[in-house]
Amino acid sequence: MSDYNDTMNRAVATDETDRLIASNKVEGTAVYDAAGEKLGHIYNFMVDKVSGKVEYAVLGFGGLFGMGESYHPLPWNALTYDTSKGGYRVDIARDRLQGGPSYRTGEEPFRDRDYGRRVDDYYGTGAF
Amino acid sequence: MSDYNDTMNRAVATDETDRLIASNKVEGTAVYDAAGEKLGHIYNFMVDKVSGKVEYAVLGFGGLFGMGESYHPLPWNALTYDTSKGGYRVDIARDRLQGGPSYRTGEEPFRDRDYGRRVDDYYGTGAF
């Protein structure tokens, strides 16, 4: 019980102290899969201008699938920050990411208002 | 009436199409005061890791006050995107910004959990 409380107190303290993160620190942060293997990094993330809410994280995979850098947007909620790794963890299988919506340098698919919905539909909203 | 509807339709279409903005496009965007004069630029912005909400925009002022680059955090809601300017507008007087919480390169005041509250207290939450 005491151990439990200690753990909870530490968790709360950490949450409050490190609750805010700078946008330019999110960009470039490593992303790991559930097994702890590095998948790629955060390329950037998409913010809703009206609500000020981060909606999507865009993962950059440098030639991971043998085809040069590609960008894979995910619902922001799919990411969990793992303090032991110093990076984000994504519990999505590699082949599921590979088959998901993606784009390349110079493409701006989010200009199409339906693109975010495609991402949501593929990964399922509220699944994380 | 027809003109009004046209305007409203365009506004809605623009909102929906451009509702999402990439994090790395927000950084570096110009910031203007109410009179349309350039104040500085967005240096970065602070995201709440838990809620995924953007809480503060950090304005970078390059020697504006004669003292080299300084960083002035503002509640995110204080910023309005002005499509005609291609930048953000802030209806806060220059001297009020000058007197507000600020820091310099290498300082990370948001590590202190009370710093955000100081910013809120200075500018007033819900005021925008």
Side-chain angles (χ1 to χ4, degrees):
Chain A
M1 189 59 181
S2 162
D3 278 356
Y4 174 80
N5 284 342
D6 280 357
T7 304
M8 290 305 289
N9 287 338
R10 267 201 305 278
V12 168
T14 303
D15 265 351
E16 287 184 5
T17 308
D18 299 318
R19 200 179 167 97
L20 294 171
I21 188 165
S23 53
N24 54 337
K25 287 199 176 175
V26 176
E27 297 159 1
T29 300
V31 178
Y32 301 92
D33 65 14
E37 277 187 63
K38 189 174 171 181
L39 281 169
H41 61 276
I42 305 280
Y43 172 65
N44 65 11
F45 54 97
M46 305 301 297
V47 179
D48 185 312
K49 281 188 210 170
V50 179
S51 70
K53 200 147 190 299
V54 180
E55 297 286 352
Y56 305 98
V58 181
L59 275 54
F61 297 100
L64 181 71
F65 308 130
M67 303 186 302
E69 176 101 327
S70 62
Y71 304 119
H72 291 245
L74 294 177
W76 174 256
N77 292 342
L79 279 74
T80 309
Y81 193 78
D82 185 334
T83 49
S84 70
K85 285 285 214 180
Y88 290 94
R89 193 165 48 80
V90 170
D91 290 345
I92 298 173
R94 207 173 272 252
D95 58 353
R96 191 150 166 245
L97 282 172
Q98 190 173 355
S102 69
Y103 55 96
R104 310 209 152 259
T105 308
E107 294 177 345
E108 300 195 25
F110 280 106
R111 284 180 171 272
D112 177 351
R113 72 185 75 173
D114 290 329
Y115 191 74
R117 209 174 302 148
R118 277 185 53 204
V119 175
D120 294 339
D121 287 347
Y122 184 80
Y123 292 105
T125 45
F128 306 102
Chain B
M1 188 61 184
S2 161
D3 278 356
Y4 174 79
N5 284 342
D6 281 356
T7 304
M8 289 307 287
N9 287 338
R10 265 200 306 278
V12 169
T14 303
D15 265 353
E16 287 185 2
T17 308
D18 299 320
R19 199 178 169 100
L20 294 170
I21 188 164
S23 52
N24 54 337
K25 286 201 176 174
V26 175
E27 297 159 0
T29 300
V31 178
Y32 300 91
D33 66 14
E37 277 186 64
K38 189 174 171 181
L39 281 169
H41 61 275
I42 305 281
Y43 172 63
N44 65 11
F45 54 97
M46 305 301 296
V47 178
D48 185 311
K49 283 189 210 170
V50 178
S51 70
K53 200 148 191 301
V54 180
E55 296 287 351
Y56 305 97
V58 180
L59 274 54
F61 298 99
L64 182 71
F65 308 130
M67 302 186 305
E69 176 100 326
S70 63
Y71 304 119
H72 292 244
L74 294 177
W76 174 256
N77 293 341
L79 279 74
T80 309
Y81 193 78
D82 184 334
T83 49
S84 70
K85 283 287 212 178
Y88 291 93
R89 193 165 48 80
V90 170
D91 290 344
I92 298 172
R94 207 172 272 251
D95 57 353
R96 190 148 166 247
L97 281 172
Q98 190 172 357
S102 68
Y103 54 98
R104 309 212 152 254
T105 308
E107 294 178 343
E108 300 195 26
F110 280 105
R111 284 178 170 273
D112 177 351
R113 71 186 75 174
D114 290 329
Y115 190 74
R117 208 173 304 147
R118 276 184 55 203
V119 175
D120 294 337
D121 287 347
Y122 183 81
Y123 291 106
T125 46
F128 304 102

